[in-house]
Amino acid sequence: MGTIAITGASGFVGRHLRAALEAAGDEVRPLSVRSGVAPADVAGTRAVVHLAGETVTGRWTAAKRERILASRRDGTRAVVDAIAGATGRPPVLVCASAVGYYGDRGEAELTEHDPPGEGFLSTVCQAWEAEAQRAGEQGVRVVSLRFGIILARDAEAFRRLLRPAKLGAGGPIGSGRQWWPWVHVDDVVGIAQAALDDDRYQGAVNVTAPNAARQRDVAKALGRVVHRPAVLPAPAFALKLLLGGFAEELLGSRHVLPARATELGYAFRYPELEPALRALVA
């Protein structure tokens, strides 16, 4: 047990992780990237967790894209610079990333061994992870957690799925055939804790459930959970008009598998979709 410094501690992932760490006996030291991260902020901690970044939900204007990229690239650079300058350097950096790294890959099954894809979020994730990996030059163990679509009551993405589902309008998005790499927030926290405590975790780790689902199956399962039909589709053209570039992320297909976590013996709390949804809606 010890002190863990966390950026983004007030975000929804940060709140869940903080609660779990404190329950386990750790002290959490919240950090603000906007206020600047100094070496003294991370000195003497047993680990740093970097979660802060501009939300990717919403319409992607040029300004929004720049905020998404800059918040991750520059924020991670600030954290790593603070680690490098710290006396009593933390031995571990666990940094958020995302499955957007892989781009739109159709039916291909993707693991941590696969190369990056194309598109804006892939570019962001590559820059994000490259900045985090600089900490490795200081002898720090670096883990980049590539988050999938996180299912949590307080997750904006989940709320945007749940609202229309309750109205019977939660049908397929686009064709509905695209793979959605979902994960329950309890497994996000579980894998993050494993990454902090287990030295075998290093480099990229996919944080997705072992049983990925096509988007139409997510819609159907959520409809069953809320006892509403899930047949009214959201046409691709309408999404593009409403959300701009972010629509491509909803319409893209990423069949991402948690190969590394599975290999290291992580036991998923919610490996199946419908029980995960029921736990959130109950």
Side-chain angles (χ1 to χ4, degrees):
M1 300 301 104
T3 300
I4 297 177
I6 302 182
T7 73
S10 61
F12 88 88
V13 172
R15 291 194 299 270
H16 286 273
L17 180 58
R18 179 176 186 170
L21 291 173
E22 290 178 340
D26 281 304
E27 178 185 343
V28 171
R29 181 183 300 170
L31 302 180
S32 171
V33 176
R34 291 183 179 179
S35 300
V37 182
D41 294 330
V42 300
T45 61
R46 78 173 183 94
V48 176
V49 179
H50 179 39
L51 300 172
E54 172 79 10
T55 179
V56 298
T57 58
R59 186 172 178 82
W60 284 1
T61 62
K64 174 77 169 179
R65 287 174 182 262
E66 179 55 32
R67 290 196 302 271
I68 290 171
L69 174 59
S71 67
R72 286 157 175 78
R73 179 195 60 211
D74 301 346
T76 306
R77 183 178 300 161
V79 169
V80 172
D81 287 348
I83 290 172
T87 301
R89 187 175 296 148
V92 184
L93 169 62
V94 174
C95 186
S97 184
V99 296
Y101 175 91
Y102 299 106
D104 183 354
R105 303 289 277 274
E107 294 296 305
E109 292 188 351
L110 303 166
T111 73
E112 293 88 347
H113 296 294
D114 285 287
E118 299 178 350
F120 172 66
L121 275 192
S122 180
T123 300
V124 170
C125 290
Q126 290 174 66
W128 199 357
E129 293 185 17
E131 289 294 339
Q133 286 301 323
R134 291 194 305 115
E137 300 168 7
Q138 309 296 325
V140 175
R141 178 170 62 87
V142 179
V143 185
S144 290
L145 299 179
R146 292 177 181 164
F147 295 143
I149 299 170
I150 301 174
L151 303 182
R153 289 190 182 94
D154 50 344
E156 179 63 22
F158 182 67
R159 288 199 294 258
R160 290 187 182 212
L161 289 176
L162 187 59
R163 282 194 292 264
K166 287 183 173 180
L167 297 173
I173 294 176
S175 72
R177 289 185 49 78
Q178 65 271 34
W179 288 98
W180 269 20
W182 67 275
V183 62
H184 190 284
V185 68
D186 285 359
D187 285 312
V188 172
V189 170
I191 292 175
Q193 287 183 289
L196 287 167
D197 297 332
D198 189 336
D199 289 345
R200 296 177 301 162
Y201 282 78
Q202 190 158 356
V205 176
N206 292 336
V207 184
T208 61
N211 296 296
R214 296 187 189 275
Q215 195 281 322
R216 64 188 179 193
D217 296 323
V218 175
K220 290 176 182 177
L222 189 54
R224 288 193 295 271
V225 167
V226 299
H227 309 292
R228 293 290 186 276
V231 294
L232 186 63
F237 76 87
L239 282 173
K240 290 177 181 178
L241 286 174
L242 180 64
L243 298 175
F246 182 57
E248 298 299 332
E249 299 305 311
L250 299 177
L251 297 168
S253 182
R254 297 169 189 81
H255 193 174
V256 180
L257 302 176
R260 188 64 180 140
T262 301
E263 177 186 333
L264 293 176
Y266 177 76
F268 281 85
R269 299 166 195 180
Y270 291 98
E272 302 290 343
L273 176 62
E274 194 157 328
L277 293 172
R278 290 192 182 281
L280 296 173
V281 175

